[in-house]
Amino acid sequence: NFTFKRDKTAAGTPLRLDGKIQPKGLWIFPDTTLTFPLNGEYKTFKVLIGVDDTVQIASTSVRVISEADGRKLCNTVVSRRGKARAASPDT
């Protein structure tokens, strides 16, 4: 059992968004909350959010919420039908 995989899908294949392999990233199981201690070491938050190309159910969508220091940085919904997109505190 796991809640996420680093740099690969649950099946062990490379992460792929919009036909492009993503060498780095997280495959996160639905309804998962992840917490990472950052210890004030970062000033910028940038991610590419999408549903992996291997997901076969076209109607799949997920809400992604990222918070840091009690502040929402990202609150967005992405779907398998849509394109992966960059997210930052401004989106």
Side-chain angles (χ1 to χ4, degrees), residues 14-76:
L15 298 168
R16 186 180 294 270
L17 296 174
D18 301 331
K20 294 176 78 175
I21 290 178
Q22 303 297 320
K24 292 290 199 184
L26 298 175
W27 184 96
I28 303 171
F29 194 78
D31 299 321
T32 297
T33 299
L34 298 175
T35 303
F36 296 97
L38 302 178
N39 303 319
E41 297 176 21
Y42 300 89
K43 295 180 183 179
T44 304
F45 175 80
K46 293 181 182 180
V47 295
L48 181 63
I49 299 172
V51 177
D52 192 87
D53 292 352
T54 61
V55 173
Q56 296 186 5
I57 301 170
S59 62
T60 299
S61 65
V62 295
R63 175 170 297 281
V64 178
I65 301 171
S66 298
E67 298 177 350
D69 298 327
R71 186 174 71 116
K72 269 193 186 155
L73 302 178
C74 173
N75 183 354
T76 190

